[in-house]
Amino acid sequence: MIIYHDPLASDTNSAAGTADDPNIRDARYSTDALPGQSASFRIDAPSGEWAATPKPLMPDPAITYTVYGATSDSTSSTSHVSFQADDASELKPGEVLVQRYDESRQVTVDAVVPLQEFLHEAQDRENCQ
């Protein structure tokens, strides 16, 4: 799992990324093997087999982060989801923050869904792009 942010979209003095990719990678979380079809852990305190590089993220309230999951060889990845520190702190165990497209307003909106609903939608081929 990779968490990054756009330095131009925040008020921080972080060093910029590269010319090809101006985003800053804040943390990369990895494990040797997933225990099943999904995994969860705290981004500020990963446990078990999860390791953070260079260190676990301590979210800055002034930054909007983006997160996505990917295989180590980048052959497969999940959708990207943006969040701020307050968003993550409001999640309860068993809840997942997702972003969905609101057809009526024609915007992407945050939605908090139960983990079981998230897992069910993840297995529905209609949700694959």
Side-chain angles (χ1 to χ4, degrees):
M1 186 182 87
I2 297 168
I3 300 177
Y4 67 92
H5 75 274
D6 177 351
L8 302 177
S10 65
D11 294 330
T12 65
N13 293 323
S14 300
T18 66
D20 292 336
D21 182 5
N23 294 317
I24 295 173
R25 180 184 291 178
D26 296 287
R28 178 184 178 103
Y29 299 84
S30 59
T31 184
D32 288 333
L34 292 176
Q37 293 183 341
S38 67
S40 64
F41 57 89
R42 292 181 53 103
I43 61 173
D44 61 342
S47 61
E49 298 293 319
W50 288 95
T53 308
K55 62 183 180 179
L57 177 69
M58 302 306 260
D60 180 332
I63 296 176
T64 297
Y65 297 95
T66 301
V67 61
Y68 70 99
T71 55
S72 59
D73 62 2
S74 297
T75 57
S76 183
S77 68
T78 65
S79 296
H80 295 225
V81 175
S82 297
F83 70 95
Q84 292 183 308
D86 289 345
D87 298 330
S89 68
E90 292 176 11
L91 288 175
K92 296 176 185 71
E95 293 181 335
V96 180
L97 174 67
V98 297
Q99 292 173 334
R100 296 186 169 151
Y101 188 71
D102 183 332
E103 294 279 340
S104 63
R105 298 185 333 199
Q106 297 186 347
V107 295
T108 301
V109 297
D110 288 348
V112 175
V113 299
L115 177 60
Q116 292 299 19
E117 180 180 333
F118 175 79
L119 294 174
H120 178 73
E121 288 181 10
Q123 293 182 9
D124 187 345
R125 290 195 179 273
E126 287 185 18
N127 294 323
C128 297
Q129 299 179 4

